[in-house]
Amino acid sequence: MPNTKLSRLVATALAVTLGATALAACGSSDKDSDSDAQSGPASLTYWTWTPGMDKVADLWNKGPGKKQQITVTVKKQASGDTLVTKILTAHKAKKAPDLVQAEYQALPTLVSNDALADIAGDVKDAKSDFADGVWQQTTLGTDAVYAIPQDIGPMMFYYRQDLFKKYGLKVPTTWDEFAETARALKKKAPDKDLTTFSANDSGLFAGLAQQAGAKWWTTSGEKWKVGIDDAASKKVADFWGGLVKEGAIDNQPMYTPSWNKALNTGKQIAWVSAVWAPGTLTTAAPDTKGKWAMAPLPQWSASEKVTGSWGGSSTAVTTDSNHKAAAAKFAAWLNTDPEALTALAKEGGIYPAATTAQTSDAFAQPPAFFSNQSDFYAQASEIAKSTAPSAWGPNVNVAYTTFKDAFGAAAKNKSDFSAALTKMQGDTVADLKKQGFEVAE
């Protein structure tokens, strides 16, 4: 059962009205215990899944780290829930590494288990490097700072330019137009689909709900409030469920050989994805290089300009570290220094959270797969600015697991998506109560 103080801490951390006193009290001991990092050498360990991170760390070790006597050793890890579980297991034994890469939705879980340190006092100048909505994900809405944003995944619409032209289709700017485009394609080419609704990646649906204004986890006083079946989420569920039920779009999962083939052969001619999509298309649909284009995500209202987020991660310092201030210095350097960000883009293939890096020389040219769209990254940077704020809670893993089961069955059977959403809501609330969190009904 969660420690009562920690439950209160995370609930307060996500409240709209800040309760900074408890957070400051909790974070003060972290800073007080770190005086040794200022006066002597520090050897840090960083758990991360980003490719080439060891090469980026070498830049630190040979440059700023050498001057400050702070050395970072990278330990490659799996991503997602696997890494979160490993971090929590190590923390229980007081043996977590100094630094960890953590997806934004995992931060409340790690904070609620007292695994992440508040590094606000050591990274005061970092906030200006990030968009407000991005920075908010690592502060959980408080004066505390639990991580430095690393990469983000603003959502976009990808489509086959050649096939849109062939079938006389216009790029949809609203979701109503998206639905009409899907139906129009079916009439002109019954063997093709605009896209698919996939139930094997809950992050896609979460991002779409986020765009619509959903707030899945919020707080009421010291209680959690779960809104997974709120009006915004129901609107998204009904929209996609309706398209699947009428056969206007496909219902197969993504990231399978069948899905790859559909993209590569033009059986599916569009994909709702994020800024990292070019890398996926390079592998999934190699024969279509130069035939795709990217546009902003369709809007629920023509007057709106907002997108959701699918993916993204941060660099956090653990409470087990004996060198928290030193670790915070590296985390800030890694995600704000121009040389580090250029190396992250080159070696890790990431889209940086730092706004200045998004328009740097590293992104002067479009992805090779999108060589026909010279303004790819300029447009991506503008889209990123419109990312809606997120609202994560301490049991995202439970909600996501239920999504895959409930929406997977609904998509396969072409049944009611709203019922799947209700199941997701119920399981998430039940799990919070089981863990000992107070839940507002």
Side-chain angles (χ1 to χ4, degrees), residues 104 107 111 130 133-142 144-150 313-315:
Y104 297 116
L107 291 177
V111 172
F130 307 96
V134 174
W135 185 252
Q136 171 264 336
Q137 294 198 81
T138 60
T139 66
L140 308 185
T142 74
V145 177
Y146 294 107
I148 303 296
Q150 181 167 301
S313 64
S314 63
T315 308

Side-chain angles (χ1 to χ4, degrees), residues 351-372:
Y351 186 70
T355 53
T356 54
Q358 295 166 11
T359 55
S360 68
D361 289 344
F363 297 96
Q365 299 298 321
F369 205 81
F370 282 72
S371 58
N372 56 302

Side-chain angles (χ1 to χ4, degrees), residues 113-195:
N113 283 277
D114 197 30
L116 300 186
D118 173 9
I119 56 174
D122 300 305
V123 296
K124 294 178 180 178
D125 299 330
K127 179 179 179 180
S128 60
D129 287 83
F130 307 96
D132 290 342
V134 174
W135 185 252
Q136 171 264 336
Q137 294 198 81
T138 60
T139 66
L140 308 185
T142 74
D143 291 333
V145 177
Y146 294 107
I148 303 296
Q150 181 167 301
D151 59 294
I152 55 175
M155 295 178 69
M156 304 157 182
F157 178 69
Y158 293 86
Y159 64 99
R160 285 280 300 272
Q161 276 186 313
D162 57 334
L163 297 181
F164 261 60
K165 183 177 181 180
K166 177 180 178 179
Y167 295 114
L169 305 175
K170 293 183 178 180
V171 179
T173 59
T174 66
W175 287 113
D176 283 342
E177 290 178 1
F178 178 93
E180 289 306 315
T181 300
R183 296 178 184 118
L185 176 64
K186 270 296 176 186
K187 290 181 180 178
K188 296 178 179 180
D191 61 327
K192 296 185 181 296
D193 295 288
L194 180 63
T195 191

Side-chain angles (χ1 to χ4, degrees), residues 379-411:
Q379 192 170 171
S381 178
E382 287 301 310
I383 292 171
K385 295 175 184 177
S386 68
T387 303
S390 63
W392 303 113
N395 63 341
V396 173
N397 59 322
V398 172
Y400 276 17
T401 297
T402 302
F403 171 87
K404 292 177 183 179
D405 294 339
F407 275 84

Side-chain angles (χ1 to χ4, degrees), residues 69-82:
Q69 295 184 298
I70 302 171
T71 303
V72 176
T73 299
V74 170
K75 298 290 185 182
K76 193 72 175 293
Q77 305 291 329
S79 60
D81 291 343
T82 301

Side-chain angles (χ1 to χ4, degrees), residues 162-249:
D162 57 334
L163 297 181
F164 261 60
K165 183 177 181 180
K166 177 180 178 179
Y167 295 114
L169 305 175
K170 293 183 178 180
V171 179
T173 59
T174 66
W175 287 113
D176 283 342
E177 290 178 1
F178 178 93
E180 289 306 315
T181 300
R183 296 178 184 118
L185 176 64
K186 270 296 176 186
K187 290 181 180 178
K188 296 178 179 180
D191 61 327
K192 296 185 181 296
D193 295 288
L194 180 63
T195 191
T196 188
F197 178 85
S198 172
N200 67 346
D201 197 318
S202 37
L204 170 58
F205 185 82
L208 291 170
Q210 178 187 349
Q211 184 210 21
K215 302 290 185 184
W216 282 4
W217 285 268
T218 54
T219 57
S220 177
E222 294 180 0
K223 296 182 179 181
W224 281 101
K225 184 175 179 61
V226 181
I228 292 175
D229 64 347
D230 63 8
S233 300
K234 286 182 178 178
K235 177 170 67 174
V236 176
D238 289 342
F239 175 81
W240 288 92
L243 291 177
V244 169
K245 189 172 183 178
E246 70 176 85
I249 61 173

